[in-house]
Amino acid sequence: FPTRRSSYLITGRFEVVDSLNGSMRQPLFHLVHPRVSPEVPERTTLQRLVTLIMEKQAKKEDARITDLVTYIDNNLHKPLPVRDLCRQMSMGETYLRDQFKRLTGQSVYRYIVNRKMARAMDLITGSNLSVSSIASEVGYENLISFEKIFTKKFGHPPTYFREKGDDETRKE
């Protein structure tokens, strides 16, 4: 994105340093005077400035994702489609997915399912609510869907853990 400032030409591009874990893109900028060698001292100053701006922007984005995590945790009782979350956060779907995964290490969908299933397990082992009530409590309208996801996550259906919990209670 070349632009003219005074008699200097600023050119630049971004390169991803580590595409495997999605680390921050590093700026590669050059401040070039038309009559001077490209290795002018201002180059490092400009790079530092751009890096500071990028870090500040990244902190803002991290805060937005942290707010989203809090929202998800507080609304596990609702269905949480990613599209609705994008609208709520005023973010594009791909951008939200990328930033969420960069910050949490898992996809938005996987995070939501893991949190809902952890909450369901807590309710199954620590309450007398029916399995259908627990499914509703963690945002599943369809009991069969809930049981499938629960069984896939924990290796056994919810009733197995309920019965296991009851057996342990009787032993005490």
Side-chain angles (χ1 to χ4, degrees):
F1 75 139
T3 59
R4 282 229 176 251
R5 305 279 175 160
S6 301
S7 59
Y8 290 92
L9 176 66
I10 301 172
T11 61
R13 65 174 193 230
F14 290 93
E15 287 186 1
V16 175
V17 172
D18 185 355
S19 61
L20 292 177
N21 69 12
S23 64
M24 185 171 53
R25 294 181 288 176
Q26 296 295 315
L28 299 175
F29 282 88
H30 303 282
L31 181 62
V32 181
H33 189 278
R35 296 186 190 116
V36 181
S37 162
E39 296 302 320
V40 292
E42 291 89 350
R43 178 179 175 195
T44 56
T45 304
L46 179 62
Q47 283 179 318
R48 275 190 241 132
L49 177 62
V50 170
T51 301
L52 287 171
I53 292 169
M54 287 180 62
E55 287 172 356
K56 186 173 182 178
Q57 184 65 27
K59 286 179 185 175
K60 283 182 186 177
E61 293 306 319
D62 289 356
R64 290 176 73 192
I65 298 300
T66 302
D67 291 345
L68 177 60
V69 167
T70 302
Y71 177 82
I72 291 169
D73 290 344
N74 291 334
N75 290 281
L76 292 175
H77 61 282
K78 298 180 186 177
L80 295 166
V82 176
R83 284 188 181 172
D84 292 351
L85 297 174
C86 290
R87 269 186 244 126
Q88 175 143 358
M89 299 302 294
S90 301
M91 296 173 111
E93 195 168 329
T94 302
Y95 185 76
L96 177 107
R97 289 176 191 271
D98 291 346
Q99 294 303 311
F100 194 93
K101 186 158 191 161
R102 179 184 63 79
L103 192 65
T104 65
Q106 53 188 324
S107 71
V108 180
Y109 175 78
R110 182 61 35 216
Y111 180 82
I112 292 169
V113 168
N114 287 340
R115 293 293 297 135
K116 286 184 177 211
M117 291 300 112
R119 175 75 178 131
M121 181 60 90
D122 289 345
L123 290 170
I124 287 168
T125 58
S127 77
N128 291 324
L129 293 173
S130 69
V131 173
S132 61
S133 295
I134 291 169
S136 290
E137 185 71 26
V138 295
Y140 286 90
E141 296 169 3
N142 184 325
L143 180 60
I144 294 170
S145 175
F146 167 75
E147 287 180 337
K148 270 186 189 178
I149 293 169
F150 188 94
T151 302
K152 185 176 180 181
K153 172 82 176 152
F154 296 110
H156 296 284
T159 53
Y160 172 84
F161 294 98
R162 173 61 54 83
E163 291 164 2
K164 188 177 176 184
D166 289 346
D167 290 344
E168 289 176 10
T169 303
R170 281 188 222 126
K171 288 178 186 177
E172 292 176 1

